[in-house]
């Protein structure tokens, strides 16, 4: 398996056997067949344990990337994060997940509404708590400029959906340009959206979730738009 050492002999069972068979298929030039074996191994593992095994998910994510199956990679890693009970385990694939999301967003045509819907489905599943229970970090915790966080907070607090929709593009454009000029990562902006949505306590949960989803898709389109 690319980038991974052989599975230790201490790991046994059907999932381990399938993973070893998948590694053999990869070496013989059949990554698609290897991915199928690992998917079956993961399904078998979930029958006996809710937490997804990192050693298996990591191997499957590598194969998905090599096959260009970026949506599957994002979905897999987000499911892994959601299944874990410890913060350390959830953070294991943070870098790979961030990169996969970036590659997925870049690959999507800007004016393809079907593609945007697919991005929304793949990315909006938060690996952290949903907006209604998002941690109330201070700006310094996410390195987001105070002015940008205030803009986002004011945007999400608007009572009228029409007002929110009308100002969404303007506010996100300002925040995205500011982030680029400061060299901030996309994850910082996404975290700002989470915080702003979490602070809009005057709105019902369903409305906050809907606004967060819409803002996330719009942010991706703006952040990766070519000049």
């Amino acid at each position: 398996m690319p980038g991974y050492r052989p599975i230790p002999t201490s790991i046994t069972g059907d999932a381990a056997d399938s993973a070893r068979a998948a590694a053999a298929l990869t070496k013989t030039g059949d990554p698609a067949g290897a991915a199928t074996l690992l998917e079956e191994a993961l399904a078998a593992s979930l029958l006996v344990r809710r937490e997804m095994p990192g050693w298996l998910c990591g191997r499957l994510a590598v194969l998905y990337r090599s096959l260009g199956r970026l949506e599957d990679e994002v979905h897999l890693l987000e499911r892994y994060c959601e299944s874990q009970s410890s913060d350390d385990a959830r953070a294991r694939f943070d870098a790979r997940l961030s990169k996969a999301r970036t590659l997925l967003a870049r690959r999507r045509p800007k004016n393809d509404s079907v593609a945007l819907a697919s991005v929304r489905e793949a990315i909006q599943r938060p690996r952290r708590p949903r907006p209604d229970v998002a941690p109330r970090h201070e700006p310094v915790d996410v390195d987001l400029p105070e002015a940008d966080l205030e803009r986002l907070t004011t945007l999400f607090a608007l009572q009228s959906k029409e007002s929110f929709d009308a100002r969404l593009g303007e506010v996100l454009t300002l925040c995205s340009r500011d982030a680029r000029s400061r060299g901030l990562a996309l994850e910082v902006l996404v975290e700002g959206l989470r915080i702003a949505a979490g602070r809009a306590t005057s709105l019902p949960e369903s409305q906050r979730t809907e606004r967060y989803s819409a803002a996330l898709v719009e942010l991706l389109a703006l952040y990766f738009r070519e000049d």
Side-chain angles (χ1 to χ4, degrees):
M1 193 68 57
Y4 284 95
R5 296 177 181 176
I7 300 172
T9 56
S10 59
I11 299 180
T12 60
D14 292 341
D17 292 340
S18 294
R20 293 187 178 96
L25 284 180
T26 301
K27 290 180 179 179
T28 59
D30 186 9
T36 298
L37 280 178
L38 290 184
E39 289 168 345
E40 294 173 352
L42 181 58
S45 175
L46 290 174
L47 291 176
V48 296
R49 186 180 181 186
R50 177 187 175 279
E51 292 188 354
M52 299 169 70
W55 63 267
L56 201 163
C57 290
R59 287 167 166 78
L60 184 53
V62 168
L63 282 174
Y64 282 157
R65 179 79 60 84
S66 69
L67 292 167
R69 295 170 58 179
L70 298 177
E71 290 183 15
D72 290 332
E73 182 183 4
V74 168
H75 189 197
L76 170 70
L77 295 178
E78 290 182 333
R79 286 176 57 207
Y80 167 83
C81 293
E82 292 169 359
S83 76
Q84 302 304 304
S85 58
S86 74
D87 290 338
D88 288 344
R90 281 191 289 270
R92 176 175 180 180
F93 295 119
D94 272 359
R96 171 167 283 275
L97 177 56
S98 179
K99 179 65 174 180
R101 284 170 168 166
T102 298
L103 292 173
L104 178 62
R106 284 176 175 170
R107 190 173 69 178
R108 293 299 181 184
K110 300 184 187 69
N111 298 321
D112 189 339
S113 60
V114 175
L116 284 179
S118 182
V119 170
R120 181 187 292 110
E121 179 183 357
I123 297 177
Q124 76 178 15
R125 292 180 291 272
R127 54 186 174 81
R128 300 178 184 179
R130 293 187 180 275
D132 59 302
V133 292
R136 307 299 176 83
H137 296 309
E138 293 302 317
V140 67
D141 292 334
V142 295
D143 295 323
L144 191 68
E146 177 68 27
D148 289 334
L149 188 56
E150 286 300 321
R151 288 191 187 103
L152 294 174
T153 299
T154 301
L155 173 69
F156 275 92
L158 292 172
Q159 295 298 310
S160 166
K161 180 181 183 300
E162 290 73 18
S163 297
F164 173 83
D165 291 341
R167 295 204 57 200
L168 178 61
E170 173 192 351
V171 172
L172 291 184
T173 296
L174 289 172
C175 292
S176 181
R177 287 175 180 172
D178 192 25
R180 282 182 175 278
S181 68
R182 295 171 182 267
L184 298 179
L186 175 62
E187 286 292 316
V188 174
L189 282 167
V190 173
E191 184 66 11
L193 292 182
R194 296 181 191 278
I195 294 171
R199 289 179 175 177
T201 54
S202 62
L203 301 177
E205 175 185 346
S206 59
Q207 193 170 349
R208 279 183 282 167
T209 301
E210 181 181 355
R211 290 188 178 188
Y212 171 79
S213 176
L216 183 56
V217 173
E218 180 72 12
L219 174 63
L220 290 171
L222 287 170
Y223 193 87
F224 295 113
R225 180 173 296 164
E226 296 179 356
D227 296 331

